[in-house]
Amino acid sequence: MSRRSGILEFAVLGLLREAPMHGYELRKRLNTSLGIFRAFSYGTLYPCLKTLVANGWLIEEPGSAPEEAVAASLAGRRAKIVYRLTAAGKEHFEELLSHTGPDAWEDEHFAARFAFFGQTEREVRVRVLEGRRSRLEERLEKMRASLNRTRERLDDYTLELQRHGMESVEREVRWLNELIESERAGRDQRSRSDAPEGTAQQQGNSGETGGLPRHGGSTRPDPSDDTAK
C-alpha cells in the first residue's frame, strides 16, 4: 500500500467514524474539510472503499430513503450505497490514531492526522506535534546550509524564493511551539485539578483546557502548504 493510499484510508475511516456516508458525501468532505485531497477523484476513492470493505472495516448498506431507491430504479440508476464503519473498523482507526512514528510527521500525513486531533489522545497529540517540529527543524537547518553554500550563485528572484520557503517553515515551527505549549498547559491543568484540595496552584486564563491556543487574529499556517515542504 502506498503512503498516499494509506493516508486516504485513514481519512475515510476517520470521517465514517463521525457518521455513515455515501461516496459523494465522502468525496465532498475530503475535498472541503481535508484540503490535501482536493485533487483526488472518484477513481481513487472507490477502490479505497472496496479495500476497506474487503478488510471488514466498512460495510455497504442501501440508501436510507426508500423513495430514493425507487426513483433510482425507475431511472435505471443504481441506488446510492452508504458506507458504515464496523466495530473492527473503529478499532483499526483507533489503532492508527495511536501511531506516532515518522510517517505521522510528514507533510500530507501530518495534515490528515491533525484534522482528527479532536479524536486523538493528548499524549499522542504531543508526540506527533513534537515529531513534526523536529522534522521541520531538520529541514530548516538543511535549507539554511544550502542557502549559505549557493547564495553567491543565485539571482535575486531565486534567492527570494529560497527565503520565502525558509520563512514558511519557520512560521510553522512557531505555530507548533504554540500548540505544544498549549497541550502541555492543559496537561498541567489536569494534574493540578486532580491534586488534593489546597495543593492546587493559582491558574491563569491562558491554555486552561489545552488543545488549540487562543489567537487574537493571527494566521495559522496550513500544515500541507507546499511552500513548507
Side-chain angles (χ1 to χ4, degrees), residues 88-146:
K90 181 179 179 181
E91 182 179 348
H92 179 63
F93 179 68
E94 291 173 350
E95 180 183 349
L96 293 176
L97 279 179
S98 69
H99 290 176
T100 59
D103 278 353
W105 312 338
E106 300 298 339
D107 296 328
E108 288 188 340
H109 207 154
F110 173 74
R113 287 298 302 270
F114 191 82
F116 295 100
F117 261 24
Q119 303 179 40
T120 306
E121 294 292 332
R122 183 190 303 274
E123 297 297 328
V124 175
R125 294 199 302 262
V126 171
R127 288 198 295 271
V128 172
L129 291 170
E130 289 177 336
R132 174 66 175 175
R133 180 178 63 181
S134 176
R135 180 59 49 86
L136 289 182
E137 288 173 340
E138 293 173 3
R139 182 182 300 173
L140 191 57
E141 183 177 349
K142 292 178 181 178
M143 293 173 74
R144 287 170 176 161
S146 175

Side-chain angles (χ1 to χ4, degrees), residues 12 16 19-27 42 45-46 49-50 53 58-65 68-69 72 77-85:
V12 168
L16 291 177
M21 303 179 199
H22 54 68
Y24 175 78
E25 291 174 315
L26 270 171
R27 184 172 184 268
Y42 283 112
L45 176 60
Y46 281 103
L49 290 170
K50 294 299 182 183
V53 170
L58 301 181
I59 57 173
E60 296 177 328
E61 298 177 338
S64 57
E68 291 183 6
R77 294 182 285 105
R78 191 175 66 176
K80 291 180 179 178
I81 298 297
V82 173
Y83 296 89
R84 182 184 298 274
L85 196 66

